[in-house]
Amino acid sequence: MANQNPFSIIGKHCEYEVNTAHDLMIQAKLDWGVSLEDIYIQSDDGVQVPDRYATVKWVAGEAYPLGVVGSRYKVMQNSEIFSCLDDIVSNSDARYGAAGELKGGNVVWATIELPANISVGDDPHNAYVIARTSHDGSTPFQMTPVINRLHCTNQINAAMMIGKKRGIYYRVKHSTHSSINVNDIKQAFKIMNEDVQKYATVSSYLRSIEFSNEEFKNFIKRVYPLPSKIEFSPYDMLSAGERTAKTRADHSRGVAWNVWIGETDTQHNIKNTKFAAFQSIVEATDHFSKNYKRQASKMILGTDIPIKSRALQLLGVNNGS
């Protein structure tokens, strides 16, 4: 069974080409509003909580509480957040790809597929930008580029390759005096397109370096490290917590090893290279979680970066994590 794209798991792909955020939101069912509402303590007098407000999602007249925020929090409607991308889509070959919500609407996101053609030798990729934000105060409006290796739908934050810390190229807080600047977004898109191309350069370098089975075995022990006591002690001499840690590490190493030796048939054209080693970790992370929806959410939120970034560093790429 082919690896699934995370956007098809937790979001809505555009069924037809859309040119406006308005149409995108309708397809993804994000055409709802958010309001700030006073919070009261449940009592006879109904005492109001000072300087704290509930963010509330409104769908067809029904209210759905999302989070609690402070007095300096500024609501950004979905229409405001995503319509700032319309200028990019209408004046370039980029196009809207997918959109969705997480945590009942606490987080909303959309993707724009970039026109960049990326190839690592005969290994094709495409690239897109994820725009995301929250309505509960947990995440500002952010934009980050992501690469998709087509052979296996592995997802790689392109910025890890060139030293952009956390991969955030544009960021606006939900605070009183903040606002989204379309010109700044255009500049961010220009830089993201350039850095996507750098991914191909770094990846081609990794693909040019041979990597043996023995090197990969040592590599995955460092990607999924264990303290010496747990690594080398007999299993029956370990505590319950230590056994759990060893079981998890052994499982992760085993999954990565199976990808490396070709059990998923995604390594045939890059086999026995440092690029294959990196992609083994990415594929093991993206597609072999016990909860695939949870892993897809991590990719959308950018919280899957640390393990992939560690693998790059161990392969000699000085990234910005």
Side-chain angles (χ1 to χ4, degrees):
M1 178 176 168
N3 294 336
Q4 294 176 279
N5 191 300
F7 303 139
S8 65
I9 299 296
I10 57 174
K12 176 70 174 178
H13 270 285
C14 296
E15 294 178 356
Y16 53 87
E17 187 168 340
V18 299
N19 296 314
T20 68
H22 175 75
D23 290 341
L24 177 72
M25 289 188 296
I26 290 175
Q27 282 203 43
K29 298 182 178 179
L30 294 178
D31 52 335
W32 41 263
V34 179
S35 67
L36 286 180
E37 303 294 337
D38 294 331
I39 301 174
Y40 293 88
I41 297 173
Q42 189 172 5
S43 65
D44 292 340
D45 297 329
V47 179
Q48 183 177 348
V49 178
D51 298 322
R52 305 296 288 175
Y53 301 90
T55 53
V56 178
K57 168 184 172 181
W58 293 92
V59 182
E62 294 290 326
Y64 300 88
L66 296 177
V68 176
V69 297
S71 58
R72 296 186 68 251
Y73 182 86
K74 178 182 179 179
V75 170
M76 293 183 183
Q77 301 294 343
N78 293 346
S79 57
E80 176 188 1
I81 293 164
F82 297 128
S83 64
C84 67
L85 307 175
D86 282 348
D87 189 83
I88 297 294
V89 173
S90 62
N91 291 294
S92 73
D93 292 329
R95 64 183 186 87
Y96 286 114
E101 63 181 45
L102 302 172
K103 304 176 184 178
N106 278 296
V107 174
V108 294
W109 58 271
T111 66
I112 294 179
E113 187 170 341
L114 299 176
N117 293 316
I118 308 164
S119 185
V120 182
D122 61 350
D123 201 57
H125 299 64
N126 61 13
Y128 41 85
V129 170
I130 297 176
R132 60 179 176 246
T133 195
S134 70
H135 292 300
D136 61 1
S138 62
T139 306
F141 176 55
Q142 300 174 337
M143 296 172 61
T144 184
V146 175
I147 304 291
N148 175 26
R149 181 177 179 240
L150 298 183
H151 277 310
C152 48
T153 66
N154 289 352
Q155 309 293 314
I156 306 104
N157 188 312
M160 294 192 309
M161 294 289 193
I162 50 85
K164 186 81 171 181
K165 189 173 183 180
R166 296 183 60 209
I168 307 302
Y169 283 70
Y170 185 74
R171 183 175 184 268
V172 177
K173 293 182 178 180
H174 289 251
S175 57
T176 306
H177 300 294
S178 63
S179 61
I180 297 173
N181 186 301
V182 174
N183 288 328
D184 288 345
I185 286 178
K186 290 179 182 179
Q187 182 62 25
F189 259 86
K190 179 178 181 294
I191 297 171
M192 282 187 275
N193 271 296
E194 293 170 354
D195 286 352
V196 159
Q197 295 299 329
K198 292 177 184 176
Y199 165 87
T201 301
V202 176
S203 295
S204 296
Y205 166 73
L206 291 175
R207 189 175 176 182
S208 71
I209 302 175
E210 293 184 359
F211 212 61
S212 68
N213 286 348
E214 193 62 32
E215 286 176 309
F216 187 79
K217 288 178 182 178
N218 292 328
F219 168 66
I220 55 177
K221 286 182 179 180
R222 298 178 67 193
V223 174
Y224 308 105
L226 285 171
S228 296
K229 178 189 175 184
I230 300 176
E231 186 77 72
F232 299 110
S233 295
Y235 188 78
D236 57 3
M237 297 293 291
L238 300 176
S239 68
E242 290 169 339
R243 291 181 183 183
T244 298
K246 184 172 179 59
T247 298
R248 288 176 177 170
D250 286 347
H251 172 75
S252 296
R253 293 170 181 178
V255 170
W257 173 257
N258 289 338
V259 175
W260 168 259
I261 62 175
E263 286 197 2
T264 61
D265 195 31
T266 57
Q267 297 271 312
H268 59 277
N269 63 327
I270 60 173
K271 193 172 180 62
N272 296 327
T273 66
K274 279 192 171 184
F275 186 60
F278 173 58
Q279 293 294 337
S280 295
I281 302 303
V282 177
E283 186 170 349
T285 301
D286 284 353
H287 303 293
F288 291 91
S289 170
K290 291 182 180 179
N291 188 324
Y292 197 31
K293 286 187 177 181
R294 182 183 301 165
Q295 178 54 37
S297 298
K298 288 183 178 180
M299 197 283 299
I300 293 291
L301 295 170
T303 55
D304 65 334
I305 290 177
I307 188 69
K308 299 174 183 179
S309 189
R310 184 192 307 162
L312 274 178
Q313 288 178 325
L314 291 170
L315 291 169
V317 177
N318 184 23
N319 53 63
S321 61

